[in-house]
């Protein structure tokens, strides 16, 4: 079966194409920036710069590089969509959602406790203080 | 009353000090990178690069620049602490927390509904089928 990458084995990766340089076999970008995804590199280059991305990739172990590139691409896209807050905006939204859900859960638990005690209390009261 | 910035009016901002350049009155960094917070600029410079930060600051309106710098500083610190996931790691944690809370809330609401219907059923039964 043909690999999905076989079509561009000899093409430079998206990073080298963008930077107009020769893509060597040891290129740190090539495994994570295939030539058919040019926007992914353009985004991280625009926000972090190629040399910072390269520095970060050299700092992490090879098996962590894919996750690193994906998180950098996510951050870069978020910053391009929202130059003021970037993905910190998503963190704020999620933090508010967590607080709201925690409050709702506390209230629902309190309702549940009231129901449980009124069910228990009501039964006791109907036994202890029944009319006629 | 003396301004808290009065002590370093003539000092270059943390960015210009770091970049060893003259801090002019129109410096885009100066209002957000005071000289007493050198790490803030060092972090954003290490992750985004000074020219990208400057570009982003020029893209947003002046009243949004403080929020922009603070979110960039937050992202940079998160990336330095966790080079693989950066603040995307916090997003994953929060997303899992939201899912867990939503499940707990659904379960608690289901319990509440069961209590309410059993209480309704019990009450009807005690009215309809009371002893004596």
């Amino acid at each position: 079966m043909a690999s999905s990458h076989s079509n561009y084995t000899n093409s430079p990766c998206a990073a080298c194409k963008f930077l107009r340089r020769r893509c060597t076999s040891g290129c740190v970008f090539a495994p994570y920036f295939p030539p058919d995804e040019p926007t992914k590199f353009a985004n991280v280059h625009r926000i972090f710069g190629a040399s910072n991305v390269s520095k970060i990739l050299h700092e992490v172990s090879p098996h962590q590089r894919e996750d690193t590139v994906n998180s950098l691409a996510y951050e870069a896209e978020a910053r391009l969509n929202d130059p003021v807050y970037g993905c910190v905006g998503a963190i704020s939204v999620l933090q508010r959602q967590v607080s709201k859900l925690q409050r709702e859960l506390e209230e629902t638990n309190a309702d549940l406790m009231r129901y449980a005690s009124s069910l228990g209390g009501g039964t006791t009261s109907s036994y202890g203080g029944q009319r006629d």
Side-chain angles (χ1 to χ4, degrees), chain A residues 97-111:
Chain A
Q97 207 180 344
V98 164
S99 298
K100 187 172 168 274
L101 282 165
Q102 280 171 334
R103 265 200 316 278
E104 278 178 31
L105 189 61
E106 271 170 29
E107 283 166 14
T108 312
N109 273 323
D111 286 348

Side-chain angles (χ1 to χ4, degrees), chain A residues 120-131:
Chain A
T123 312
T124 312
S125 144
S126 83
Y127 277 114
Q130 49 185 223
R131 294 168 202 155

Side-chain angles (χ1 to χ4, degrees), chain A residues 16 21-28 30:
Chain A
C16 292
R21 66 181 199 182
R22 206 170 147 256
C23 193
T24 60
S25 61
C27 171
V28 74

Side-chain angles (χ1 to χ4, degrees), chain A residues 32 57 59-71:
Chain A
Y32 319 106
L57 287 182
E59 269 169 34
V60 304
S61 57
H63 76 277
Q64 293 180 307
R65 286 182 187 161
E66 191 164 357
D67 282 353
T68 306
V69 164
N70 289 339
S71 73

